[in-house]
Amino acid sequence: MRTTSSLCFAILFCLFFFPSCSEEQDFDQFDDLSITPAIASSIFSVEASEDFINSVSTLSAFYTQTFVFEAFNEQFVAERLLEGNITYDFENSTSKPINIIIEFLDEGGNVLDFESFDIAAGPGEMVSRTVDYGPNGKPLFLLTNTANLRLTGRNLGDNTSVSTEPEAKFIMKSAAEFLFQLVE
Amino acid sequence: MVMIPLLGTVLLSAQNKQILYDFYEIPQALMVNPGAKAQEKWHVGLPALSGISVQAGASGVSVNDLFANDGIDFNVKVRERVINALSERDDFSSTSQIELFNLGFRGKNRREDYYSFGMYTETDVIVYWPKDLAILAFEGNGGANIGRSFDLGHLNLRGEMVNVFHFGVNRKVNQELTLGLRAKLYSGVFQFKSTNNSGRFRTVPGQENTLENSIDADMQLQTAGVDGFLDIIDADTGNTSSEIQDLFTRRLFLGGNLGLGFDAGFTYQLNPQTTVTGSILDVGFIYNSKDIRNFTLRGSASNEGINVFLPEDIDNLGVDLWQELVDEIEAAVPFEENGQGYISFRPIKIYGSIRYDFGEGSSKTSRIDCGCAINVARGNSGSYYRNSIGGQMFLLKRPLGIQPALTGFYQRRLGKSLSIKTTYTVDKYSFSNVGLGINLQAGPVNFYILGDNLLSYQNIADSRYASLQFGFNIISWNGN
């Protein structure tokens, strides 16, 4: 009986009072945590019928529009923007070449940057252009200081010809995908 | 936000008290089975020291997995061991219980009845890994995630702190059967829950533009009692600490949201050596009507950016197209607040066990001189058996379903003063959970300590589960 009790006490002693061990932990590693999600979203699209393009004099733009665009200059976004790109897709089934100019304007209306695309007369394949921003592209401040976008579309051909394509139209699409530093 | 559960890894748990269960030499065994074999004439728990339990568990990752000083890049560890490894059913949870007082006494006129009452404070938090939301936060919706549907229903969390006033009756119906019932009055300190969420967010190739982002959400976070504390902290009057203390004390003593519940249990002796037991705990609710602040996100919306169709839109274009788009989405999926009261149910627990006693003692042991003699059956009580072996089952109602655990145990009684119980438990946290409980009786002074998952003490940081319970009582079996 005494032997059994002694044995039990020895086991209990070992289990409860033996100092527990732990591998060395380095909680400062948490400071190294980096969360950089890639956020993707469409920006704007324009679809213009050939009839509409023909209805406007070739001397002036068939479409021009300035609108507030502060997606990148919100403080939270601007401070965390790392790099990314904007992709522009064009489909032109009209009979005339089209020029598209996208101007990036600051709050004072000054042009920070612009992109100009000449799209050949259709019908043709979809044309896709990607503009990079960040270390391997244009400076990010062009986006983070942008308060407005001005979009201008010009007919570089005539305004009488009609495409043989049914429902001929010019379509421009755009989307952005950027990396953000949420946690550093 | 998604890293918050990881920071709590060290504090994680289930609520299983498998060592205490059916360890009827300890008065607190009545708290996990009000129908346990009560043997005492009376007992008094040392105030605030009669029952302290802290449990912690994480089902998918340990502190060591992330923070071991192993030279591996922390971001790689997070990605491989958390983001890519955990499922939405993995959880981080913590439960602690502090008994402020616990008393028990046998009825004067009904010797077969043992009454016990007391008060304890319990804090219970469970956060399920919000898998899809975490992936969305870490990787975003771009790149390879275009086309992926992120399940917003992966947000599941629940937590509360309650003070429980309880009164229980334990009745020995006959030599074989003991029944018990415990009524509970809950005084809520705080409560929050976000469960039964649904919805999805996804980005796919669009029709009108390159990409279409769509959200369909039905999400809710309900809170009660949280705002009061936050208001005090925000006010920062210079007296913050004492104001929080006052509010906390008020809430502990019925000044907050109140609720009712009960526990029930039984012990049935199939034969002199075989006993089955069962109990159901915390069948109850709290009606949260004070200090309520709920948040909802409900609705559906999809967008492909600003879409201009010419000539249809030529006269409808303003300069605020982008803001109009944002406003449109916010109107379609409004993030709103309300103060509607709600009912929160307590996490129900169910225990069951079967025990086989053997190894009759050579001398009459601990309870033969008991003044009550209530649980001494025909001079051949189970108390006279030195050994017990058996199995236990535990079920816990959690936001994502029933969480089970199975336990095998061996109990050894050494004379009048010492009883030990070892357990092996399998549950979602561990397949190697060996626990040990010791009950020491020095005269009327009772001390118990119960520790779980002892093998993990070799590297405690690598443990996904840990629990510790201990307490002091004064027990009387006769007139002393």
Side-chain angles (χ1 to χ4, degrees):
Chain A
M1 181 68 185
R2 184 173 293 176
T3 309
T4 309
S5 300
S6 302
L7 182 63
C8 288
F9 272 116
I11 294 169
L12 297 180
F13 180 85
C14 290
L15 287 172
F16 269 120
F17 302 108
F18 196 83
S20 65
C21 303
S22 174
E23 275 185 33
E24 184 186 344
Q25 306 294 306
D26 176 11
F27 294 104
D28 290 339
Q29 290 179 83
F30 191 78
D31 297 336
D32 299 335
L33 181 66
S34 174
I35 301 178
T36 54
I39 307 299
S41 175
S42 287
I43 303 178
F44 56 82
S45 69
V46 176
E47 182 178 310
S49 68
E50 186 171 53
D51 291 344
F52 174 73
I53 295 171
N54 279 340
S55 70
V56 180
S57 164
T58 53
L59 297 176
S60 59
F62 68 84
Y63 176 69
T64 185
Q65 176 73 39
T66 302
F67 55 89
V68 176
F69 184 77
E70 297 181 320
F72 290 106
N73 75 356
E74 294 275 356
Q75 188 181 0
F76 181 85
V77 174
E79 288 174 353
R80 290 165 176 79
L81 201 57
L82 292 178
E83 61 177 334
N85 59 64
I86 297 177
T87 300
Y88 305 92
D89 296 328
F90 304 94
E91 288 178 65
N92 186 11
S93 57
T94 71
S95 60
K96 53 224 68 195
I98 302 290
N99 170 252
I100 291 288
I101 297 174
I102 299 147
E103 295 168 284
F104 297 80
L105 313 177
D106 65 14
E107 286 184 352
N110 305 304
V111 177
L112 295 170
D113 190 26
F114 72 95
E115 302 294 344
S116 179
F117 305 100
D118 288 332
I119 311 301
E125 296 292 311
M126 186 179 79
V127 176
S128 189
R129 302 277 177 80
T130 298
V131 180
D132 292 320
Y133 293 86
N136 299 316
K138 292 186 171 184
L140 287 170
F141 78 85
L142 296 176
L143 294 177
T144 56
N145 288 315
T146 293
N148 297 280
L149 287 181
R150 183 159 60 217
L151 180 62
T152 304
R154 283 196 170 81
N155 176 2
L156 300 181
D158 61 73
N159 60 354
T160 55
S161 63
V162 176
S163 169
T164 56
E165 292 289 304
E167 296 184 25
K169 60 182 72 166
F170 173 79
I171 300 172
M172 182 196 132
K173 298 177 178 178
S174 64
E177 181 168 321
F178 279 83
L179 284 178
F180 291 85
Q181 183 88 56
L182 284 191
V183 174
E184 185 180 17
Chain B
M1 184 186 74
V2 296
M3 291 303 291
I4 290 172
L6 297 181
L7 296 175
T9 300
V10 73
L11 296 172
L12 304 181
S13 94
Q15 297 189 343
N16 192 1
K17 293 182 175 175
Q18 71 272 32
I19 309 175
L20 180 62
Y21 187 78
D22 207 26
F23 203 151
Y24 54 80
E25 289 86 347
I26 303 171
Q28 276 69 23
L30 284 170
M31 298 304 296
V32 283
N33 181 3
K37 273 172 56 173
Q39 297 188 311
E40 307 85 2
K41 184 177 182 186
W42 57 263
H43 79 268
V44 178
L46 252 60
L49 284 176
S50 60
I52 296 174
S53 72
V54 180
Q55 297 177 312
S59 62
V61 67
S62 69
V63 171
N64 193 66
D65 288 338
L66 293 175
F67 294 103
N69 196 3
D70 51 14
I72 301 173
D73 182 86
F74 186 67
N75 291 293
V76 172
K77 289 193 279 190
V78 169
R79 182 166 299 280
E80 292 180 352
R81 298 171 188 179
V82 180
I83 305 296
N84 295 339
L86 299 189
S87 84
E88 67 276 13
R89 301 193 74 82
D90 283 311
D91 68 68
F92 304 85
S93 61
S94 169
T95 302
S96 64
Q97 211 175 76
I98 299 175
E99 228 171 45
L100 299 178
F101 71 91
N102 187 317
L103 304 171
F105 61 92
R106 195 160 291 285
K108 270 189 177 177
N109 299 323
R110 302 194 66 145
R111 306 286 295 167
E112 67 274 23
D113 285 0
Y114 191 77
Y115 305 100
S116 59
F117 61 98
M119 178 176 82
Y120 66 88
T121 302
E122 180 176 307
T123 306
D124 179 38
V125 176
I126 181 165
V127 178
Y128 286 90
W129 177 247
K131 182 181 178 184
D132 275 13
L133 297 174
I135 290 172
L136 184 60
F138 272 78
E139 299 177 357
N141 64 331
N145 285 335
I146 288 176
R148 177 175 186 146
S149 182
F150 294 95
D151 189 344
L152 305 181
H154 285 184
L155 180 64
N156 276 294
L157 53 91
R158 183 185 188 285
E160 67 186 340
M161 185 176 196
V162 292
N163 201 30
V164 184
F165 301 85
H166 59 87
F167 181 83
V169 179
N170 175 283
R171 173 171 296 176
K172 181 171 182 178
V173 178
N174 53 43
Q175 293 297 342
E176 287 78 31
L177 180 65
T178 303
L179 295 175
L181 189 66
R182 182 175 306 283
K184 289 181 167 178
L185 173 61
Y186 302 113
S187 180
V189 177
F190 66 79
Q191 207 277 345
F192 61 85
K193 66 171 181 172
S194 183
T195 56
N196 300 318
N197 295 309
S198 64
R200 63 180 186 160
F201 171 79
R202 66 176 187 163
T203 302
V204 295
Q207 296 290 321
E208 314 297 348
N209 207 340
T210 311
L211 297 172
E212 178 196 51
N213 289 324
S214 63
I215 184 170
D216 176 15
D218 184 358
M219 304 177 76
Q220 180 172 226
L221 170 64
Q222 295 170 300
T223 74
V226 177
D227 237 26
F229 290 105
L230 295 179
D231 286 346
I232 292 173
I233 294 168
D234 285 346
D236 194 17
T237 58
N239 220 7
T240 304
S241 177
S242 70
E243 286 177 23
I244 287 178
Q245 208 171 339
D246 288 347
L247 180 61
F248 184 74
T249 308
R250 219 165 38 241
R251 296 262 177 88
L252 284 179
F253 293 95
L254 310 178
N257 294 302
L258 303 179
L260 293 171
F262 71 89
D263 302 344
F266 74 94
T267 297
Y268 186 73
Q269 201 163 328
L270 296 173
N271 60 51
Q273 287 180 270
T274 310
T275 305
V276 292
T277 72
S279 69
I280 183 166
L281 309 179
D282 280 324
V283 183
F285 68 92
I286 295 175
Y287 179 60
N288 299 286
S289 60
K290 299 175 184 172
D291 198 13
I292 305 294
R293 192 175 182 194
N294 303 325
F295 305 89
T296 61
L297 185 70
R298 290 195 175 104
S300 300
S302 65
N303 95 86
E304 298 186 32
I306 298 168
N307 307 123
V308 177
F309 297 91
L310 300 172
E312 293 87 341
D313 294 332
I314 194 70
D315 297 323
N316 300 328
L317 301 178
V319 295
D320 287 327
L321 292 173
W322 190 261
Q323 189 56 48
E324 287 167 13
L325 178 68
V326 172
D327 293 344
E328 195 179 303
I329 295 169
E330 286 180 351
V333 193
F335 180 70
E336 296 176 316
E337 286 186 34
N338 68 65
Q340 293 169 0
Y342 66 94
I343 288 173
S344 58
F345 292 97
R346 298 282 293 139
I348 293 176
K349 286 141 275 195
I350 294 175
Y351 285 93
S353 78
I354 183 164
R355 188 182 74 239
Y356 177 72
D357 300 319
F358 62 99
E360 203 166 351
S362 59
S363 63
K364 293 181 177 179
T365 55
S366 57
R367 311 295 181 256
I368 190 60
D369 296 327
C370 170
C372 55
I374 286 304
N375 276 307
V376 177
R378 293 189 288 273
N380 199 21
S381 163
S383 297
Y384 295 106
Y385 291 99
R386 287 176 178 166
N387 308 289
S388 299
I389 192 167
Q392 295 173 191
M393 176 199 70
F394 174 71
L395 302 173
L396 171 63
K397 174 79 175 67
R398 284 300 202 189
L400 290 188
I402 304 295
Q403 186 177 304
L406 287 174
T407 298
F409 70 87
Y410 169 72
Q411 188 172 350
R412 173 83 177 174
R413 299 172 188 86
L414 299 164
K416 295 179 179 178
S417 59
L418 179 65
S419 183
I420 61 173
K421 181 179 178 182
T422 60
T423 58
Y424 171 71
T425 301
V426 175
D427 61 13
K428 71 184 288 188
Y429 299 103
S430 172
F431 288 163
S432 58
N433 180 353
V434 175
L436 181 67
I438 306 169
N439 183 58
L440 281 168
Q441 193 70 45
V445 178
N446 164 262
F447 170 72
Y448 68 93
I449 182 165
L450 318 171
D452 225 351
N453 207 13
L454 299 177
L455 297 179
S456 71
Y457 284 26
Q458 297 165 46
N459 182 6
I460 190 71
D462 201 28
S463 172
R464 291 178 181 173
Y465 177 87
S467 88
L468 183 68
Q469 300 163 71
F470 64 90
F472 291 91
N473 296 286
I474 308 295
I475 299 178
S476 169
W477 292 276
N478 47 41
N480 60 5

